[in-house]
Amino acid sequence: MDVTETTNSTNSTDSARALPHQHPLAGKIALVAGATRGAGRAMAVELGRAGATVYATGRTTRARTSEVGRTTETIEETAELITAAGQESESGGAGIAVPTDHLDPEQVEALVERIDREQGRLDLLVNDIWGGDVHVEWDKKMWEHDLDKGLRLMRLGIETHIVTSRYALPLLIKNPGGLVVEVTDGTDEYNQRYRKPFYYDLAKAAPLRMARALAEEIGEYGCTALCLTPGWLRSEAMLDTHFKVTEDNWQAGCEQNPHFAISETPTFVGRALVALASDPEVARWNGTSLSSGGLAKEYGFTDVDGSAPDAWRYITEVEQEGKTADVTGYR
C-alpha cells in the first residue's frame, strides 16, 4: 500500500466518526512507540480520532530512512494523520512526531522527559517497535540463519521494548488507570506453535511474556499491561511488496493465496486499541493476550468494510488444517 492508500484506511469514517460528546480519550496522553507505518500508525491515528494527544515515534523521517528501507511512510506524516483524524472527529486529538531510535537509551529517556515536561503524565504506552522483517531469513534453520541478522532481530523486537518500558513506566504509574500494550504477531494460544524461523519465534513470543510480567509489576499502581495482536494485517508492505495490490483491490491478492481473504486493515487493530483504552474495566485483561478479531466480539467494533475478521481462529481452524479457503463465519 502506498501513502495514499494508508491515508484512506486509517482515516475511514464509516463507523469511526464520533459526535462531540463521544470522545472517550479526550485529554489522554499516549506514546505509540513504532508508529511509522502498519499497525503502529493506525493505532496512533485511531487514538487521535478518539481524542488522545499521541506522541508517535519511529526512525524514518522525511530526512532519513531507517534500515526498513521504505521512504513512502514517515513519522511526520503519521503525526499529521493523527491530527487530521482528531480534527475530523472534532475530538481535539493531536499527533506529535518524535524521531526516536528505541535502541538508544538516551533518546528514549529524552523522549519521556519531553512528555513529562509538556504533559505531566502518560496514560497509555504502546510498544509496537519492530522493523525486523528485512533481516529474517524465513526458510533457514537456526544454525543456517545469519547470526548477525538474527541478533539484530532480537534487539529490534525485544530490547527496544525493554528500553522503552524502562523509561516510560515511571511516568505512567504516577497515575492509576495507566495502560501498557505490548504488540506482537500471534496470540499466546497460537504462538504455542513454532513461528519459524528461530529468531522470529523468539521475537514474537517475548512481548507476550513481557505483558504478563509487567502486569505483575504495575498492577499494584492501579495500572494494566496486556498483549495485543492484529490478524493477517494488510500493511503497506503486505500490499505493495508481497501481493503487489492496493487497498482498493486487495481481494486480487486472494488469487495468489486464497486465505488472504481473512486479512484486515490496520484500522481494525487501531479500533481494538481504542476500545481497550476506553474501557473503565480494562484491568480485567491484565496480563492477557488479545487479538483484534477476538476483541471485536467483545466490544462490537468492525473493520472499515463493516466486517469483523477473526483471523487467528480462521488460521487455526481452516488454513492450518489444510481446508479450502472459506471465510464464512470468520468475518
mmCIF file with all atom_site columns, all heavy atoms in Angstrom, residues 71-90:
data_model
loop_
_atom_site.group_PDB
_atom_site.id
_atom_site.type_symbol
_atom_site.label_atom_id
_atom_site.label_alt_id
_atom_site.label_comp_id
_atom_site.label_asym_id
_atom_site.label_entity_id
_atom_site.label_seq_id
_atom_site.pdbx_PDB_ins_code
_atom_site.Cartn_x
_atom_site.Cartn_y
_atom_site.Cartn_z
_atom_site.occupancy
_atom_site.B_iso_or_equiv
_atom_site.pdbx_formal_charge
_atom_site.auth_seq_id
_atom_site.auth_comp_id
_atom_site.auth_asym_id
_atom_site.auth_atom_id
_atom_site.pdbx_PDB_model_num
ATOM 1   N N   . THR A 1 71 ? 10.635  4.600  1.990  1.00 0.00 ? 71 THR A N   1
ATOM 2   C CA  . THR A 1 71 ? 10.601  6.057  2.058  1.00 0.00 ? 71 THR A CA  1
ATOM 3   C C   . THR A 1 71 ? 9.170   6.593  1.975  1.00 0.00 ? 71 THR A C   1
ATOM 4   O O   . THR A 1 71 ? 8.947   7.794  2.117  1.00 0.00 ? 71 THR A O   1
ATOM 5   C CB  . THR A 1 71 ? 11.411  6.668  0.913  1.00 0.00 ? 71 THR A CB  1
ATOM 6   O OG1 . THR A 1 71 ? 10.846  6.240  -0.345 1.00 0.00 ? 71 THR A OG1 1
ATOM 7   C CG2 . THR A 1 71 ? 12.870  6.237  0.981  1.00 0.00 ? 71 THR A CG2 1
ATOM 8   N N   . THR A 1 72 ? 8.208   5.695  1.744  1.00 0.00 ? 72 THR A N   1
ATOM 9   C CA  . THR A 1 72 ? 6.835   6.121  1.491  1.00 0.00 ? 72 THR A CA  1
ATOM 10  C C   . THR A 1 72 ? 6.044   6.436  2.747  1.00 0.00 ? 72 THR A C   1
ATOM 11  O O   . THR A 1 72 ? 4.934   6.957  2.661  1.00 0.00 ? 72 THR A O   1
ATOM 12  C CB  . THR A 1 72 ? 6.086   5.044  0.687  1.00 0.00 ? 72 THR A CB  1
ATOM 13  O OG1 . THR A 1 72 ? 6.356   3.761  1.261  1.00 0.00 ? 72 THR A OG1 1
ATOM 14  C CG2 . THR A 1 72 ? 6.542   5.033  -0.757 1.00 0.00 ? 72 THR A CG2 1
ATOM 15  N N   . GLU A 1 73 ? 6.559   6.081  3.915  1.00 0.00 ? 73 GLU A N   1
ATOM 16  C CA  . GLU A 1 73 ? 5.904   6.434  5.171  1.00 0.00 ? 73 GLU A CA  1
ATOM 17  C C   . GLU A 1 73 ? 6.923   7.077  6.094  1.00 0.00 ? 73 GLU A C   1
ATOM 18  O O   . GLU A 1 73 ? 8.037   6.580  6.224  1.00 0.00 ? 73 GLU A O   1
ATOM 19  C CB  . GLU A 1 73 ? 5.304   5.203  5.861  1.00 0.00 ? 73 GLU A CB  1
ATOM 20  C CG  . GLU A 1 73 ? 4.339   4.388  5.019  1.00 0.00 ? 73 GLU A CG  1
ATOM 21  C CD  . GLU A 1 73 ? 5.020   3.291  4.224  1.00 0.00 ? 73 GLU A CD  1
ATOM 22  O OE1 . GLU A 1 73 ? 6.063   2.791  4.690  1.00 0.00 ? 73 GLU A OE1 1
ATOM 23  O OE2 . GLU A 1 73 ? 4.535   2.960  3.115  1.00 0.00 ? 73 GLU A OE2 1
ATOM 24  N N   . THR A 1 74 ? 6.528   8.167  6.736  1.00 0.00 ? 74 THR A N   1
ATOM 25  C CA  . THR A 1 74 ? 7.409   8.859  7.674  1.00 0.00 ? 74 THR A CA  1
ATOM 26  C C   . THR A 1 74 ? 6.671   9.116  8.984  1.00 0.00 ? 74 THR A C   1
ATOM 27  O O   . THR A 1 74 ? 5.436   9.135  9.024  1.00 0.00 ? 74 THR A O   1
ATOM 28  C CB  . THR A 1 74 ? 7.897   10.205 7.116  1.00 0.00 ? 74 THR A CB  1
ATOM 29  O OG1 . THR A 1 74 ? 6.775   11.110 7.029  1.00 0.00 ? 74 THR A OG1 1
ATOM 30  C CG2 . THR A 1 74 ? 8.546   10.039 5.747  1.00 0.00 ? 74 THR A CG2 1
ATOM 31  N N   . ILE A 1 75 ? 7.431   9.369  10.018 1.00 0.00 ? 75 ILE A N   1
ATOM 32  C CA  . ILE A 1 75 ? 6.820   9.629  11.314 1.00 0.00 ? 75 ILE A CA  1
ATOM 33  C C   . ILE A 1 75 ? 6.130   10.983 11.330 1.00 0.00 ? 75 ILE A C   1
ATOM 34  O O   . ILE A 1 75 ? 5.108   11.176 12.012 1.00 0.00 ? 75 ILE A O   1
ATOM 35  C CB  . ILE A 1 75 ? 7.888   9.500  12.441 1.00 0.00 ? 75 ILE A CB  1
ATOM 36  C CG1 . ILE A 1 75 ? 7.190   9.228  13.769 1.00 0.00 ? 75 ILE A CG1 1
ATOM 37  C CG2 . ILE A 1 75 ? 8.792   10.706 12.502 1.00 0.00 ? 75 ILE A CG2 1
ATOM 38  C CD1 . ILE A 1 75 ? 6.469   7.905  13.823 1.00 0.00 ? 75 ILE A CD1 1
ATOM 39  N N   . GLU A 1 76 ? 6.632   11.936 10.549 1.00 0.00 ? 76 GLU A N   1
ATOM 40  C CA  . GLU A 1 76 ? 5.959   13.232 10.466 1.00 0.00 ? 76 GLU A CA  1
ATOM 41  C C   . GLU A 1 76 ? 4.575   13.080 9.845  1.00 0.00 ? 76 GLU A C   1
ATOM 42  O O   . GLU A 1 76 ? 3.605   13.706 10.283 1.00 0.00 ? 76 GLU A O   1
ATOM 43  C CB  . GLU A 1 76 ? 6.777   14.230 9.643  1.00 0.00 ? 76 GLU A CB  1
ATOM 44  C CG  . GLU A 1 76 ? 8.128   14.581 10.248 1.00 0.00 ? 76 GLU A CG  1
ATOM 45  C CD  . GLU A 1 76 ? 9.255   13.753 9.659  1.00 0.00 ? 76 GLU A CD  1
ATOM 46  O OE1 . GLU A 1 76 ? 8.975   12.632 9.167  1.00 0.00 ? 76 GLU A OE1 1
ATOM 47  O OE2 . GLU A 1 76 ? 10.408  14.216 9.686  1.00 0.00 ? 76 GLU A OE2 1
ATOM 48  N N   . GLU A 1 77 ? 4.492   12.243 8.821  1.00 0.00 ? 77 GLU A N   1
ATOM 49  C CA  . GLU A 1 77 ? 3.199   12.024 8.176  1.00 0.00 ? 77 GLU A CA  1
ATOM 50  C C   . GLU A 1 77 ? 2.219   11.357 9.142  1.00 0.00 ? 77 GLU A C   1
ATOM 51  O O   . GLU A 1 77 ? 1.029   11.695 9.166  1.00 0.00 ? 77 GLU A O   1
ATOM 52  C CB  . GLU A 1 77 ? 3.368   11.164 6.932  1.00 0.00 ? 77 GLU A CB  1
ATOM 53  C CG  . GLU A 1 77 ? 2.069   10.955 6.167  1.00 0.00 ? 77 GLU A CG  1
ATOM 54  C CD  . GLU A 1 77 ? 2.273   10.039 4.970  1.00 0.00 ? 77 GLU A CD  1
ATOM 55  O OE1 . GLU A 1 77 ? 2.801   8.932  5.157  1.00 0.00 ? 77 GLU A OE1 1
ATOM 56  O OE2 . GLU A 1 77 ? 1.901   10.454 3.864  1.00 0.00 ? 77 GLU A OE2 1
ATOM 57  N N   . THR A 1 78 ? 2.717   10.419 9.945  1.00 0.00 ? 78 THR A N   1
ATOM 58  C CA  . THR A 1 78 ? 1.851   9.787  10.938 1.00 0.00 ? 78 THR A CA  1
ATOM 59  C C   . THR A 1 78 ? 1.252   10.834 11.865 1.00 0.00 ? 78 THR A C   1
ATOM 60  O O   . THR A 1 78 ? 0.045   10.819 12.142 1.00 0.00 ? 78 THR A O   1
ATOM 61  C CB  . THR A 1 78 ? 2.627   8.745  11.761 1.00 0.00 ? 78 THR A CB  1
ATOM 62  O OG1 . THR A 1 78 ? 3.058   7.689  10.908 1.00 0.00 ? 78 THR A OG1 1
ATOM 63  C CG2 . THR A 1 78 ? 1.751   8.164  12.863 1.00 0.00 ? 78 THR A CG2 1
ATOM 64  N N   . ALA A 1 79 ? 2.080   11.748 12.352 1.00 0.00 ? 79 ALA A N   1
ATOM 65  C CA  . ALA A 1 79 ? 1.582   12.796 13.256 1.00 0.00 ? 79 ALA A CA  1
ATOM 66  C C   . ALA A 1 79 ? 0.530   13.655 12.573 1.00 0.00 ? 79 ALA A C   1
ATOM 67  O O   . ALA A 1 79 ? -0.474  14.045 13.184 1.00 0.00 ? 79 ALA A O   1
ATOM 68  C CB  . ALA A 1 79 ? 2.744   13.655 13.747 1.00 0.00 ? 79 ALA A CB  1
ATOM 69  N N   . GLU A 1 80 ? 0.737   13.943 11.300 1.00 0.00 ? 80 GLU A N   1
ATOM 70  C CA  . GLU A 1 80 ? -0.245  14.741 10.552 1.00 0.00 ? 80 GLU A CA  1
ATOM 71  C C   . GLU A 1 80 ? -1.565  13.995 10.412 1.00 0.00 ? 80 GLU A C   1
ATOM 72  O O   . GLU A 1 80 ? -2.649  14.591 10.517 1.00 0.00 ? 80 GLU A O   1
ATOM 73  C CB  . GLU A 1 80 ? 0.325   15.102 9.185  1.00 0.00 ? 80 GLU A CB  1
ATOM 74  C CG  . GLU A 1 80 ? 1.484   16.086 9.256  1.00 0.00 ? 80 GLU A CG  1
ATOM 75  C CD  . GLU A 1 80 ? 2.280   16.191 7.966  1.00 0.00 ? 80 GLU A CD  1
ATOM 76  O OE1 . GLU A 1 80 ? 1.931   15.501 6.985  1.00 0.00 ? 80 GLU A OE1 1
ATOM 77  O OE2 . GLU A 1 80 ? 3.255   16.963 7.940  1.00 0.00 ? 80 GLU A OE2 1
ATOM 78  N N   . LEU A 1 81 ? -1.494  12.681 10.177 1.00 0.00 ? 81 LEU A N   1
ATOM 79  C CA  . LEU A 1 81 ? -2.708  11.872 10.073 1.00 0.00 ? 81 LEU A CA  1
ATOM 80  C C   . LEU A 1 81 ? -3.458  11.816 11.403 1.00 0.00 ? 81 LEU A C   1
ATOM 81  O O   . LEU A 1 81 ? -4.693  11.829 11.438 1.00 0.00 ? 81 LEU A O   1
ATOM 82  C CB  . LEU A 1 81 ? -2.355  10.457 9.614  1.00 0.00 ? 81 LEU A CB  1
ATOM 83  C CG  . LEU A 1 81 ? -1.870  10.306 8.172  1.00 0.00 ? 81 LEU A CG  1
ATOM 84  C CD1 . LEU A 1 81 ? -1.344  8.892  7.937  1.00 0.00 ? 81 LEU A CD1 1
ATOM 85  C CD2 . LEU A 1 81 ? -2.984  10.633 7.189  1.00 0.00 ? 81 LEU A CD2 1
ATOM 86  N N   . ILE A 1 82 ? -2.714  11.748 12.501 1.00 0.00 ? 82 ILE A N   1
ATOM 87  C CA  . ILE A 1 82 ? -3.341  11.745 13.826 1.00 0.00 ? 82 ILE A CA  1
ATOM 88  C C   . ILE A 1 82 ? -4.113  13.037 14.047 1.00 0.00 ? 82 ILE A C   1
ATOM 89  O O   . ILE A 1 82 ? -5.280  13.035 14.453 1.00 0.00 ? 82 ILE A O   1
ATOM 90  C CB  . ILE A 1 82 ? -2.281  11.569 14.926 1.00 0.00 ? 82 ILE A CB  1
ATOM 91  C CG1 . ILE A 1 82 ? -1.574  10.223 14.811 1.00 0.00 ? 82 ILE A CG1 1
ATOM 92  C CG2 . ILE A 1 82 ? -2.916  11.726 16.315 1.00 0.00 ? 82 ILE A CG2 1
ATOM 93  C CD1 . ILE A 1 82 ? -0.301  10.130 15.640 1.00 0.00 ? 82 ILE A CD1 1
ATOM 94  N N   . THR A 1 83 ? -3.449  14.154 13.772 1.00 0.00 ? 83 THR A N   1
ATOM 95  C CA  . THR A 1 83 ? -4.078  15.450 13.967 1.00 0.00 ? 83 THR A CA  1
ATOM 96  C C   . THR A 1 83 ? -5.286  15.622 13.057 1.00 0.00 ? 83 THR A C   1
ATOM 97  O O   . THR A 1 83 ? -6.334  16.139 13.472 1.00 0.00 ? 83 THR A O   1
ATOM 98  C CB  . THR A 1 83 ? -3.061  16.576 13.726 1.00 0.00 ? 83 THR A CB  1
ATOM 99  O OG1 . THR A 1 83 ? -1.974  16.440 14.663 1.00 0.00 ? 83 THR A OG1 1
ATOM 100 C CG2 . THR A 1 83 ? -3.690  17.949 13.916 1.00 0.00 ? 83 THR A CG2 1
ATOM 101 N N   . ALA A 1 84 ? -5.165  15.171 11.806 1.00 0.00 ? 84 ALA A N   1
ATOM 102 C CA  . ALA A 1 84 ? -6.280  15.265 10.872 1.00 0.00 ? 84 ALA A CA  1
ATOM 103 C C   . ALA A 1 84 ? -7.470  14.450 11.370 1.00 0.00 ? 84 ALA A C   1
ATOM 104 O O   . ALA A 1 84 ? -8.628  14.877 11.259 1.00 0.00 ? 84 ALA A O   1
ATOM 105 C CB  . ALA A 1 84 ? -5.852  14.780 9.492  1.00 0.00 ? 84 ALA A CB  1
ATOM 106 N N   . ALA A 1 85 ? -7.201  13.258 11.938 1.00 0.00 ? 85 ALA A N   1
ATOM 107 C CA  . ALA A 1 85 ? -8.281  12.428 12.467 1.00 0.00 ? 85 ALA A CA  1
ATOM 108 C C   . ALA A 1 85 ? -8.964  13.106 13.648 1.00 0.00 ? 85 ALA A C   1
ATOM 109 O O   . ALA A 1 85 ? -10.187 13.057 13.795 1.00 0.00 ? 85 ALA A O   1
ATOM 110 C CB  . ALA A 1 85 ? -7.737  11.062 12.888 1.00 0.00 ? 85 ALA A CB  1
ATOM 111 N N   . GLY A 1 86 ? -8.163  13.762 14.491 1.00 0.00 ? 86 GLY A N   1
ATOM 112 C CA  . GLY A 1 86 ? -8.727  14.486 15.624 1.00 0.00 ? 86 GLY A CA  1
ATOM 113 C C   . GLY A 1 86 ? -9.579  15.660 15.187 1.00 0.00 ? 86 GLY A C   1
ATOM 114 O O   . GLY A 1 86 ? -10.619 15.951 15.785 1.00 0.00 ? 86 GLY A O   1
ATOM 115 N N   . GLN A 1 87 ? -9.158  16.323 14.133 1.00 0.00 ? 87 GLN A N   1
ATOM 116 C CA  . GLN A 1 87 ? -9.940  17.447 13.610 1.00 0.00 ? 87 GLN A CA  1
ATOM 117 C C   . GLN A 1 87 ? -11.219 16.954 12.956 1.00 0.00 ? 87 GLN A C   1
ATOM 118 O O   . GLN A 1 87 ? -12.289 17.554 13.119 1.00 0.00 ? 87 GLN A O   1
ATOM 119 C CB  . GLN A 1 87 ? -9.094  18.231 12.608 1.00 0.00 ? 87 GLN A CB  1
ATOM 120 C CG  . GLN A 1 87 ? -7.916  18.962 13.245 1.00 0.00 ? 87 GLN A CG  1
ATOM 121 C CD  . GLN A 1 87 ? -6.978  19.570 12.224 1.00 0.00 ? 87 GLN A CD  1
ATOM 122 O OE1 . GLN A 1 87 ? -7.001  19.218 11.036 1.00 0.00 ? 87 GLN A OE1 1
ATOM 123 N NE2 . GLN A 1 87 ? -6.135  20.488 12.675 1.00 0.00 ? 87 GLN A NE2 1
ATOM 124 N N   . GLU A 1 88 ? -11.115 15.864 12.223 1.00 0.00 ? 88 GLU A N   1
ATOM 125 C CA  . GLU A 1 88 ? -12.264 15.305 11.527 1.00 0.00 ? 88 GLU A CA  1
ATOM 126 C C   . GLU A 1 88 ? -13.355 14.876 12.502 1.00 0.00 ? 88 GLU A C   1
ATOM 127 O O   . GLU A 1 88 ? -14.545 15.079 12.264 1.00 0.00 ? 88 GLU A O   1
ATOM 128 C CB  . GLU A 1 88 ? -11.807 14.121 10.682 1.00 0.00 ? 88 GLU A CB  1
ATOM 129 C CG  . GLU A 1 88 ? -12.873 13.512 9.818  1.00 0.00 ? 88 GLU A CG  1
ATOM 130 C CD  . GLU A 1 88 ? -12.322 12.365 8.975  1.00 0.00 ? 88 GLU A CD  1
ATOM 131 O OE1 . GLU A 1 88 ? -11.613 11.505 9.549  1.00 0.00 ? 88 GLU A OE1 1
ATOM 132 O OE2 . GLU A 1 88 ? -12.578 12.347 7.776  1.00 0.00 ? 88 GLU A OE2 1
ATOM 133 N N   . SER A 1 89 ? -12.942 14.266 13.603 1.00 0.00 ? 89 SER A N   1
ATOM 134 C CA  . SER A 1 89 ? -13.908 13.804 14.598 1.00 0.00 ? 89 SER A CA  1
ATOM 135 C C   . SER A 1 89 ? -14.274 14.883 15.613 1.00 0.00 ? 89 SER A C   1
ATOM 136 O O   . SER A 1 89 ? -15.131 14.669 16.461 1.00 0.00 ? 89 SER A O   1
ATOM 137 C CB  . SER A 1 89 ? -13.347 12.591 15.352 1.00 0.00 ? 89 SER A CB  1
ATOM 138 O OG  . SER A 1 89 ? -12.230 12.972 16.137 1.00 0.00 ? 89 SER A OG  1
ATOM 139 N N   . GLU A 1 90 ? -13.584 16.031 15.512 1.00 0.00 ? 90 GLU A N   1
ATOM 140 C CA  . GLU A 1 90 ? -13.785 17.135 16.449 1.00 0.00 ? 90 GLU A CA  1
ATOM 141 C C   . GLU A 1 90 ? -13.505 16.711 17.887 1.00 0.00 ? 90 GLU A C   1
ATOM 142 O O   . GLU A 1 90 ? -14.131 17.169 18.833 1.00 0.00 ? 90 GLU A O   1
ATOM 143 C CB  . GLU A 1 90 ? -15.208 17.704 16.328 1.00 0.00 ? 90 GLU A CB  1
ATOM 144 C CG  . GLU A 1 90 ? -15.522 18.235 14.936 1.00 0.00 ? 90 GLU A CG  1
ATOM 145 C CD  . GLU A 1 90 ? -16.928 18.797 14.829 1.00 0.00 ? 90 GLU A CD  1
ATOM 146 O OE1 . GLU A 1 90 ? -17.635 18.837 15.867 1.00 0.00 ? 90 GLU A OE1 1
ATOM 147 O OE2 . GLU A 1 90 ? -17.319 19.192 13.722 1.00 0.00 ? 90 GLU A OE2 1
#
